[in-house]
Structure formats: structure tokens, C-alpha cells
């Protein structure tokens, strides 16, 4: 599998806390979207670790095809 599963064709609006680390699902198979639950272990994908820069609502990519991982860049509108 070299293409991620499209979890949804819209971003996930999530409240993140400044300074906290998160693991964004890249494979699209996690049952805990948009975060990793280990479902990638049977794929070639690995999660993306990132730290929230501030406490606020962020829009994380749901289609898994963004060029600005883990953030939505609107790519879902072209799928």
C-alpha cells in the first residue's frame, strides 16, 4: 500500500494544547482519527509527531494527502 486511505474528505477540527506532542495518522486506517492508534503497523506508513504551537482549534488533514502535514491545505476538495 503506497497511498493512504482517505479517512474523510474534510479536515478534523481539534482543540490542541500548546507544548503537547501529538501523533497524526498518515495511513488513514486509525480508528482514533486524526490521531494514530497503531493501525499503520501493517503498512509502510509511520505517524507524524508534532507539538502544538499554541492552545487553539487546529484543522488537521482528513484526506491524508495534504502537502502541509498534518494541517489541512484544501487538497480534499480535489479528490
Amino acid at each position: 500500500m503506497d497511498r493512504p486511505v482517505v479517512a474523510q474528505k474534510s479536515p478534523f477540527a481539534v482543540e490542541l494544547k500548546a507544548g503537547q506532542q501529538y501523533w497524526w495518522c498518515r495511513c488513514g486506517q486509525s480508528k482514533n482519527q486524526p490521531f494514530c492508534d497503531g493501525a499503520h503497523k501493517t503498512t509502510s506508513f509511520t505517524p507524524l509527531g508534532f507539538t502544538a504551537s499554541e492552545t487553539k482549534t487546529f484543522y488537521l488533514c482528513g484526506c491524508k494527502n495534504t502537502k502541509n502535514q498534518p494541517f489541512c491545505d484544501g487538497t480534499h476538495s480535489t479528490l
Side-chain angles (χ1 to χ4, degrees):
M1 176 164 107
D2 46 36
R3 298 199 52 87
V5 172
V6 174
Q8 69 180 29
K9 289 187 177 180
S10 60
F12 291 94
V14 291
E15 180 73 20
L16 303 182
K17 295 182 182 177
Q20 186 168 333
Q21 185 170 32
Y22 297 91
W23 293 93
W24 178 69
C25 169
R26 283 184 173 159
C27 73
Q29 296 184 37
S30 173
K31 302 249 185 290
N32 189 34
Q33 290 294 332
F35 304 108
C36 178
D37 70 358
H40 67 276
K41 291 182 180 170
T42 61
T43 74
S44 61
F45 293 93
T46 56
L48 174 71
F50 70 100
T51 302
S53 56
E54 56 187 307
T55 299
K56 71 173 197 172
T57 300
F58 286 88
Y59 295 88
L60 302 185
C61 177
C63 75
K64 309 305 176 181
N65 288 282
T66 182
K67 304 283 187 281
N68 188 28
Q69 294 182 1
F71 308 104
C72 177
D73 68 359
T75 298
H76 61 272
S77 63
T78 64
L79 298 178

